[in-house]
Amino acid sequence: MSTTALAPSTLVPSPLTPSPARRCARRARRCTRPAAQRPAPRPLRLTRRGRLLITCTAATALTGAVVAVTGTFTGASAGADRAPAPIVLTVAPGQTLSAIAAQWAPQEDWREVAGDIVELNGLPSMTLQAGQRLTMPGRPGRP
């Protein structure tokens, strides 16, 4: 077996890297220059990605504003104030107006409900025909 001895190498500073003392001296010189000798700051340059970001942000804000304004003018929230669609009931064979009125609003007097049905549908009398379609009055307990 052979052994080789390595001599310790000494670190020689590279001429390309400045020593810490030189760096501090440069900073000091740069900071102590009069304002007239300082180089003017470079103008802000917008890259392609920056322009795309600004454009998308502006488009999103504009779209949100348009949706908010059109929703206000068209009354999009007014849908809750509308009356529900009328309920239409088809008379089955053997059903009477009193039985229908009693089923429709059991908590109320059937005569009042029957009178409302006659009035709402414009019926000439209280007799019904099988297959006849009746529009039912809205009640608090009904949709």
Side-chain angles (χ1 to χ4, degrees):
M1 288 190 131
S2 69
T3 56
T4 322
L6 296 175
S9 64
T10 58
L11 294 174
V12 179
S14 168
L16 299 178
T17 58
S19 69
R22 283 187 187 168
R23 274 188 261 152
C24 290
R26 278 192 206 154
R27 277 193 210 132
R29 251 187 318 209
R30 192 174 358 171
C31 295
T32 58
R33 285 186 200 167
Q37 291 179 355
R38 287 189 194 144
R42 292 188 335 191
L44 182 67
R45 233 182 72 206
L46 226 98
T47 61
R48 181 176 179 214
R49 185 182 296 171
R51 285 190 302 268
L52 180 66
L53 178 70
I54 288 174
T55 304
C56 289
T57 304
T60 302
L62 184 63
T63 303
V66 167
V67 167
V69 168
T70 56
T72 302
F73 287 129
T74 58
S77 63
D81 297 340
R82 291 187 194 146
I87 297 175
V88 178
L89 186 83
T90 305
V91 178
Q95 273 188 323
T96 62
L97 187 60
S98 60
I100 292 172
Q103 277 183 334
W104 182 253
Q107 70 278 6
E108 295 183 35
D109 185 23
W110 69 268
R111 284 170 248 162
E112 291 178 16
V113 178
D116 291 344
I117 293 172
V118 169
E119 184 182 326
L120 184 63
N121 291 290
L123 299 175
S125 68
M126 295 188 78
T127 57
L128 298 176
Q129 304 271 327
Q132 187 176 358
R133 296 174 61 89
L134 298 174
T135 303
M136 303 304 288
R139 293 287 171 210
R142 297 285 181 166

